[in-house]
Amino acid sequence: MAGLLLLSACGAEPEGQTPDDRPKPVSPAPECADGEPLAHEFESGARWSLCWSVEPDHGMVLSDIYFEAPEGRSQRVIDTIAIAQLEVPYDSGERLTSDITDAGFGGTWMKTLTEQECTGDLHSTEIPNIGDGTHGLTPDREVLCSTTVDAGLGYRSQENGTLTTTQASEWNVYTVSKVGWYEYISQYVFTADGTIRPQLGATGDLSPVDFADEDHGWPIGEGEADYAASHSHNAIWRVDWGLGDGQAQAVEQYDAVETGDEGRKSRIVEGSLSRIESPAVAHKADRRWWRVLAPETLNADGHPVSYEIGLEKTDSFTTLRDEHHHGDDAGYDVAFTNADDCQRFATYNPTSDGCGRGVLDFVEDGEDEELHDVVSWVAVGFHHVPRDEDQSPMEMHWQGFTLQPRDLNAQRPGLPEGREHLNGQPDEWQGEDVDDLTERDSGGLIE
Ligand SMILES: [Cu+2]
C-alpha cells in the first residue's frame, strides 16, 4: 500500500447544506518518510491526512497530521502522537506492569485484524513476529483499521423558518494490542470540525491470577468468595505539536474564577490566560484547560492558531516510578516540554544517552529553557473496580482526552449556506437591529 493515498469519502450531510460550488484547494498526498500515508475526506470537504507506523514499544504512531477545512488550506497540526506509557498497578500491591516499556503495543503483541473487528478498511505494514525482527520474520500484517461511524446530530439551527442541520460522522483509526489478559485498543477519533480524540480502550479478560480480599477488590463469583483485585490503568500520551509548521509555539493555561461579585443577574466570573513559559507540569481544575498555540501564525480573524487540550474523566495518579524518584505528590495531569527525540517514554525512558528517566526528569532538565517546540504529555487514569459483568469478556472501557481546534480557522469548518456572514457580533438578527434586541433582553422581556 506504500505510496498510495488512501481516501474514502463518508459522512451523511443532507443535500444542499454544503455549498458544492466552493473552490476546493488541492492538497498533496502526505509524503511519509516513515510509515504509510492515510487520509480521509468528510462529505463536507473537511480532510485529514497523516502517516502511520508501528513501533515495537509505542505500537501505533501517527505523524505528520494535517487538517484542511473545506474553505481553508491544509494546516499542520501534529508532528507525532503515540501512547508513551501504560502503568497498571494492582491495589493489592502484588503486581505492577509498565506495559509500553515492559512489553510494548507493537511486535507480537499487536494483533492482526479481520473484517469481524473492523467494518471499515484494513491496512497492513511489516511487523516483526519476534522481538525487533533481527531473529525472525517481518510479515506484512493487517493491523490498522480505518473506519467511519455515525456520531449523531452534528449541529442544528433554525432561523427565519430555515432548518440548518447535519448528521456528524467520525473517522476512527485503531490498532489492537493484547498484553497479558487485557486487549487494548489504541484509537484516534478525527472529526470534520478538526477535533482529535486520542483514546485507549480496554477489553479482553480480567487477570485470572489477581484475586485479593474485600479491601482490595470486588466479589465477582458466587457469594463473597472471589474478590477480583481492583487496579488502575494509568495511560500517558506524548503529543509532539506541529502547529505553525516550524514557527515558534507556546503554551497557555486558561482559568475562569468566580470573583465573589454579582452582576445584575448572575455571578461575575473572570477568565484569563497565563503563559507557561518553561517546561512544567500542570494539574486539572474546574473550568481549566490548556492550549498550544503558534503565536506568529494567525487565522483570517487575526487570532493565533491553537489547539485546546481538554481532559475528560480521569483518576489522577502518580506513577510508582515517579514517586520513587520525585516524591509522592509528583503526579501531573498534563506536562509540557520541548521536543527531544530521546524523550520517548513517560517513565522508564532509556537513560543511556543522558535523556532522563521520564517526564519529570525532562521537565527538571528543561526548566531553564523557553517552551518553543512543544510536546504535551497527557496523563489519564482509570481506577477499575471489577464487577460481575466483567466476565466475560469485558465490555470495552474507554479513557482519553480531547484536542480541539481553537481558532485554527476563523469560522466553523464546513460553513452551511446562509451562515457565511456570521463572524463576530451581527448588526441584525432576523431583520431586527441587534441593539434593539439587547435593550429588550436587558429589560427582562426575554428569559
Ligand atoms: Cu482493568
Side-chain angles (χ1 to χ4, degrees):
M1 293 278 197
L4 175 70
L5 178 64
L6 301 156
L7 200 91
S8 55
C10 59
E13 292 190 13
E15 288 263 322
Q17 298 302 331
T18 308
D20 55 10
D21 55 349
R22 197 164 37 216
K24 185 76 181 69
V26 178
S27 54
E31 288 177 16
C32 297
D34 295 308
E36 317 284 342
L38 195 63
H40 178 75
E41 188 165 318
F42 290 90
E43 196 159 299
S44 69
R47 186 174 188 279
W48 288 97
S49 68
L50 52 85
C51 305
W52 71 279
S53 59
V54 174
E55 291 188 12
D57 28 46
H58 297 288
M60 175 171 57
V61 177
L62 303 186
S63 55
D64 301 330
I65 303 178
Y66 286 82
F67 178 69
E68 182 178 323
E71 305 83 0
R73 61 196 165 81
S74 189
Q75 298 195 69
R76 188 175 181 84
V77 176
I78 285 176
D79 288 345
T80 63
I81 185 168
I83 190 162
Q85 194 50 281
L86 173 59
E87 180 197 59
V88 185
Y90 278 73
D91 291 8
S92 59
E94 295 300 317
R95 181 193 293 277
L96 183 149
T97 55
S98 298
D99 287 335
I100 296 301
T101 46
D102 289 350
F105 272 9
T108 50
W109 284 272
M110 183 164 281
K111 308 318 286 183
T112 302
L113 301 179
T114 67
E115 289 173 1
Q116 278 184 290
E117 303 113 295
C118 175
T119 56
D121 300 323
L122 288 164
H123 297 279
S124 62
T125 192
E126 289 183 353
I127 298 187
N129 59 4
I130 299 175
D132 62 1
T134 310
H135 303 291
L137 300 172
T138 53
D140 221 25
R141 296 204 276 124
E142 291 188 323
V143 293
L144 181 139
C145 181
S146 162
T147 188
T148 54
V149 295
D150 291 338
L153 196 57
Y155 57 71
R156 182 191 188 281
S157 178
Q158 195 162 18
E159 292 293 343
N160 295 325
T162 303
L163 176 65
T164 304
T165 187
T166 192
Q167 291 293 318
S169 75
E170 294 174 340
W171 180 39
N172 292 356
V173 175
Y174 64 84
T175 56
V176 178
S177 304
K178 182 173 171 61
V179 182
W181 300 278
Y182 269 87
E183 304 199 7
Y184 289 107
I185 317 306
S186 182
Q187 173 164 281
Y188 296 88
V189 177
F190 298 90
T191 76
D193 83 334
T195 298
I196 305 172
R197 294 203 307 275
Q199 295 182 325
L200 179 69
T203 181
D205 273 290
L206 291 169
S207 164
V209 298
D210 289 287
F211 279 73
D213 57 20
E214 189 176 354
D215 291 336
H216 308 97
W218 194 270
I220 62 166
E222 270 185 47
E224 308 295 314
D226 299 336
Y227 286 85
S230 301
H231 54 274
S232 294
H233 300 264
N234 295 331
I236 302 171
W237 283 262
R238 180 182 189 274
V239 189
D240 183 352
W241 290 94
L243 285 168
D245 208 358
Q247 305 264 25
Q249 296 166 349
V251 179
E252 291 175 338
Q253 176 172 297
Y254 176 90
D255 282 287
V257 296
E258 291 188 359
T259 58
D261 296 328
E262 286 185 23
R264 276 178 8 101
K265 292 195 173 182
S266 59
R267 280 192 287 273
I268 295 174
V269 178
E270 282 182 0
S272 63
L273 288 168
S274 50
R275 183 69 66 94
I276 297 178
E277 302 279 359
S278 299
V281 298
H283 301 272
K284 69 178 183 183
D286 288 342
R287 298 183 296 270
R288 169 176 291 173
W289 43 262
W290 301 269
R291 70 167 180 161
V292 176
L293 60 155
E296 296 158 27
T297 305
L298 307 180
N299 70 13
D301 276 351
H303 303 144
V305 299
S306 78
Y307 260 76
E308 176 180 331
I309 300 169
L311 295 174
E312 297 165 9
K313 182 193 181 307
T314 176
D315 296 314
S316 296
F317 61 91
T318 303
T319 67
L320 192 62
R321 177 84 164 167
D322 284 342
E323 182 176 327
H324 286 169
H325 290 284
H326 295 271
D328 58 10
D329 60 349
Y332 54 90
D333 295 301
V334 188
F336 299 98
T337 59
N338 279 321
D340 183 334
D341 288 344
C342 83
Q343 298 176 354
R344 300 177 59 213
F345 304 107
T347 60
Y348 292 97
N349 192 65
T351 55
S352 50
D353 40 9
C355 269
R357 287 174 295 246
V359 171
L360 296 176
D361 282 2
F362 308 154
V363 168
E364 272 184 18
D365 294 346
E367 63 187 3
D368 295 330
E369 299 169 8
E370 190 179 345
L371 280 172
H372 61 93
D373 183 5
V374 177
V375 169
S376 314
W377 304 82
V378 186
V380 180
F382 161 46
H383 185 241
H384 181 188
V385 179
R387 54 194 178 115
D388 268 340
E389 289 82 353
D390 281 348
Q391 286 178 313
S392 169
M394 268 181 295
E395 190 78 7
M396 191 76 70
H397 175 275
W398 292 104
Q399 62 194 98
F401 58 102
T402 300
L403 305 173
Q404 180 171 249
R406 177 170 283 281
D407 313 340
L408 188 71
N409 304 283
Q411 287 172 283
R412 65 160 298 115
L415 273 170
E417 243 175 295
R419 300 302 170 109
E420 298 87 345
H421 66 290
L422 280 172
N423 184 29
Q425 185 170 21
D427 295 330
E428 54 92 28
W429 193 259
Q430 293 199 34
E432 278 198 80
D433 194 279
V434 163
D435 288 339
D436 295 342
L437 288 174
T438 308
E439 204 169 294
R440 204 170 64 189
D441 190 27
S442 306
L445 294 175
I446 298 175
E447 288 292 336

